[in-house]
Amino acid sequence: MTIRHLVPAVLALGALVAPVPVAADCDLSGTVDEAIAAKRIVFVGDVADLDGSAATFAVREVWSGDVGPTVTVRGLSDDGMVSEDDRTWTKGATYLVVPYVDGGVLRDNICTASTHWDEDLLDLRPPGAATIAPADAGGPPVLAAILAACLVVGLSLLAFRRRSR
């Protein structure tokens, strides 16, 4: 047997042991741009709590759709079990979330366009994106309470000063 005869045999053997590309379990549901254009839900949020495959987000910005200041996004199942296709969230991390609606429940998995936040994603922010103030940022209820307390203290000091004259 000559070298010329060995080459095809070696190539055939290499083809048998070479890694075979594996298709994903799902088709990607599209890009962020496509989700925004389709008026689907797209938001930027911080993972505030995790419970199995569910993540509760403190929403920073709403890029598309109707989302409140906190929202829970579930994995593929409602029983708390984590499947191999569920996204792995990190508590405290920020994400651009592109979930889908399933019977009134927001769901996400590795097939959506959701991704860990990166400043480069700012280029995708649509002009109508709405910023949501964090609950502890001193929004209107906290500001109103502080102003009311200042008013009470000021009126009390004024009354005390008038009595002492």
Side-chain angles (χ1 to χ4, degrees), residues 20-120:
V20 178
V22 178
D25 290 343
C26 57
D27 294 325
L28 290 177
S29 62
T31 65
V32 175
D33 287 340
E34 292 167 343
I36 293 169
K39 305 254 188 266
R40 292 199 353 236
I41 293 174
V42 180
F43 66 90
V44 178
D46 302 320
V47 178
D49 193 30
L50 292 169
D51 183 15
S53 64
T56 300
F57 289 87
V59 178
R60 289 182 176 199
E61 293 182 348
V62 178
W63 287 15
S64 182
D66 187 19
V67 178
T70 59
V71 64
T72 298
V73 177
R74 300 188 178 285
L76 295 174
S77 113
D78 288 326
D79 62 8
M81 300 298 293
V82 178
S83 80
E84 67 178 334
D85 290 336
D86 284 336
R87 187 170 308 281
T88 303
W89 305 105
T90 303
K91 189 172 182 175
T94 303
Y95 293 87
L96 176 64
V97 185
V98 187
Y100 61 94
V101 180
D102 177 31
V105 174
L106 293 181
R107 296 196 186 277
D108 192 271
N109 58 54
I110 61 173
C111 299
T112 70
S114 295
T115 185
H116 197 272
W117 179 255
D118 181 292
E119 293 298 317
D120 292 339

